[in-house]
Amino acid sequence: MDTNPSAAGDSVAPHLRRLRQVGFCQLDPTSQSRRPILALMHRVYHRLVLAATVLYIFEQLTYAYQARNDMERLSRVLFLMLCHLTCIAKQFVFHSDADKINQLVVGLDDALCNQPVETHRLLLLETSRRAARLLMLYSGCAVSTCILWAVFPLLDQLRGRTVEFAFWIPIDYRHNAFQFAVVLAYAFYSTSLVAVANTTMDAFIATVLYQCTTQLRILRMNFESLPERAYALSRKTRQDYHTVTHELLVDCLLHYKKITETCNLLEQIFGKAILVQFGVGGWILCMAAYQIVDMEILSIEFASTALFMGCILTELFLYCYYGNEVTVQSGLVSESVYAMSWLSLCPRERRALVVVLERARRPLRPAAGRVVPLTLNTYLKILKSSYSFYAVLRQTK
């Protein structure tokens, strides 16, 4: 059966394709060298999108300053502005660390991450399918939120109500239908651009963590079946059993090293951006909750804010869940080594297993900025802090 030579790399291919379409990720070096004119146009587009998102943040900051004495208006802009700030943090990472991100993606195409074994291939394909499904559902939820945010001001305008967008704009759009339509289209473009890009970047990081988890599962399977595989391969190739065993053990060690390097590189690239996300995540939920409690349950505004809160909760959960899974699977490597039939190994190979066990005593622990661990316990702490902020705000209302 033909195997995909880059099944692991394919898991992040949809994310990179979408990020390049919206201008948040540069083209890969191969495309840049083959089509220099297209690469130049895309670099210009990439910088224009960055300028557009920075401009929108500036407009929100101006509006927040003008509304600093009005808690209702201030809360309207803060939860969305903070979300856009986290997006900007990740966008700058994709802009400044493009070479490292390309190195991360190319590393997933390594032969060690795409071993030609049927059970491994099925695991990798399932990982790719789930990653694509997560991207579709997560981005779909964010786009639905933006559509609703465009619908309810339009309905208010048609009903003759005063509409105020939560960002500064140097024109009076309230009494001119054309200007209102232009501002509404601008607001929809800005929010939907950030929504699609932000969710895709989150899903990209989560998918790399998920891929590390899958690779650790494959590594554990290889350790547990190592003597049996060595015996079958030695009979097939008529090589010495201990020679084959040593080669397979070296492959396992190299695979473990590759997984560790991938996880460490991901943390090095996105650690600070994730730390920013965790730092303001509680405030975003707090401000959104502050807004939603005064809305009518059956209103479009309530539905859109509820969807937004669902996106933020999902965003934080993805980092914590998949980071936690990496730690769990990494901690089980030593158990898999113990589970193999190590009595059939020679003394040299047993000594090598001792080195593996010593390394496995320090499981991989992805962290945000090397400070905050990506664990489910961290997720609960963020939710608790968010509720504490909300309780203080409600008391001062």
Side-chain angles (χ1 to χ4, degrees):
M1 179 180 295
D2 293 332
T3 59
N4 191 341
S6 184
D10 282 351
S11 62
V12 296
H15 308 73
L16 295 173
R17 184 165 54 249
R18 179 173 295 179
L19 288 173
R20 285 165 183 151
Q21 289 171 351
V22 298
F24 272 59
C25 181
Q26 297 181 11
L27 296 176
D28 62 276
T30 303
S31 299
Q32 293 183 28
S33 59
R34 290 180 178 177
R35 294 177 288 183
I37 297 179
L38 178 63
L40 176 62
M41 294 175 61
H42 192 271
R43 281 196 296 271
V44 174
Y45 174 56
H46 184 67
R47 286 165 174 75
L48 287 175
V49 170
L50 179 60
T53 51
V54 171
L55 174 63
Y56 193 68
I57 287 290
F58 173 77
E59 292 171 338
Q60 289 177 315
L61 284 170
T62 304
Y63 180 91
Y65 177 77
Q66 294 174 344
R68 62 189 181 279
N69 296 322
D70 188 340
M71 191 59 200
E72 293 295 330
R73 295 176 63 208
L74 187 61
S75 62
R76 283 187 61 218
V77 66
L78 276 183
F79 75 92
L80 190 57
M81 184 183 69
L82 291 173
C83 182
H84 285 198
L85 284 174
T86 62
C87 180
I88 285 286
K90 284 173 276 190
Q91 186 179 6
F92 271 114
V93 170
F94 272 89
H95 185 84
S96 60
D97 290 338
D99 293 338
K100 291 183 179 180
I101 293 174
N102 183 67
Q103 178 185 346
L104 179 70
V105 174
V106 171
L108 295 177
D109 296 333
D110 193 281
L112 290 170
C113 298
N114 300 274
Q115 300 176 23
V117 179
E118 182 63 15
T119 54
H120 301 170
R121 188 185 72 88
L122 293 176
L123 278 175
L124 293 173
L125 290 177
E126 182 63 20
T127 299
S128 297
R129 282 194 291 266
R130 290 184 177 180
R133 195 179 306 126
L134 171 65
L135 175 63
M136 181 181 64
L137 293 175
Y138 186 28
S139 297
C141 183
V143 172
S144 300
T145 303
C146 295
I147 292 174
L148 290 178
W149 275 341
V151 168
F152 71 75
L154 178 61
L155 293 178
D156 285 345
Q157 179 74 5
L158 294 176
R159 292 168 182 168
R161 300 175 181 174
T162 301
V163 177
E164 182 181 16
F165 291 99
F167 60 92
W168 175 80
I169 198 79
I171 60 174
D172 185 8
Y173 53 84
R174 295 178 179 84
H175 308 293
N176 187 297
F178 175 75
Q179 290 179 345
F180 175 82
V182 171
V183 174
L184 179 63
Y186 172 68
F188 177 73
Y189 167 76
S190 300
T191 53
S192 59
L193 173 67
V194 170
V196 171
N198 203 19
T199 53
T200 305
M201 289 187 290
D202 292 332
F204 171 82
I205 299 170
T207 299
V208 176
L209 289 171
Y210 186 21
Q211 189 61 239
C212 289
T213 303
T214 301
Q215 295 296 330
L216 285 169
R217 291 178 61 189
I218 292 174
L219 176 66
R220 290 178 55 216
M221 294 167 61
N222 287 341
F223 270 127
E224 292 173 5
S225 62
L226 191 146
E228 292 78 8
R229 290 187 297 118
Y231 179 74
L233 188 59
S234 64
R235 292 195 61 182
K236 181 179 180 180
T237 61
R238 296 184 179 180
Q239 290 180 285
D240 179 67
Y241 169 75
H242 293 292
T243 301
V244 175
T245 302
H246 179 74
E247 292 175 355
L248 293 179
L249 183 57
V250 169
D251 286 342
C252 288
L253 292 174
L254 292 175
H255 191 195
Y256 196 9
K257 180 183 177 183
K258 183 65 181 179
I259 298 169
T260 303
E261 290 174 349
T262 301
C263 191
N264 290 338
L265 183 59
L266 179 72
E267 183 179 339
Q268 179 184 348
I269 297 171
F270 295 105
K272 294 179 181 178
I274 299 175
L275 184 62
V276 172
Q277 179 71 61
F278 283 2
V280 301
W283 281 103
I284 295 173
L285 290 172
C286 169
M287 291 299 173
Y290 185 85
Q291 281 286 313
I292 202 172
V293 292
D294 294 327
M295 298 177 183
E296 296 182 9
I297 295 180
L298 299 180
S299 65
I300 296 177
E301 191 173 5
F302 180 90
S304 62
T305 307
L307 279 174
F308 174 80
M309 292 180 67
C311 289
I312 299 301
L313 289 170
T314 301
E315 180 179 45
L316 298 172
F317 181 75
L318 289 177
Y319 292 127
C320 295
Y321 174 76
Y322 285 112
N324 191 79
E325 285 296 294
V326 170
T327 302
V328 170
Q329 289 295 327
S330 179
L332 293 175
V333 170
S334 59
E335 295 185 13
S336 297
V337 174
Y338 276 118
M340 79 163 67
S341 303
W342 53 269
L343 291 174
S344 61
L345 305 182
C346 68
R348 183 183 66 166
E349 293 152 2
R350 294 181 190 178
R351 286 193 295 270
L353 288 182
V354 173
V355 176
V356 176
L357 290 173
E358 186 64 25
R359 173 62 186 86
R361 289 177 58 187
R362 306 188 306 276
L364 299 175
R365 299 184 186 277
R370 303 183 184 276
V371 177
V372 183
L374 303 184
T375 62
L376 295 176
N377 188 45
T378 299
Y379 183 69
L380 293 177
K381 289 181 179 179
I382 294 175
L383 296 184
K384 290 178 181 178
S385 65
S386 178
Y387 178 77
S388 299
F389 298 151
Y390 168 76
V392 172
L393 281 179
R394 293 300 294 180
Q395 289 176 359
T396 58
K397 185 174 180 179

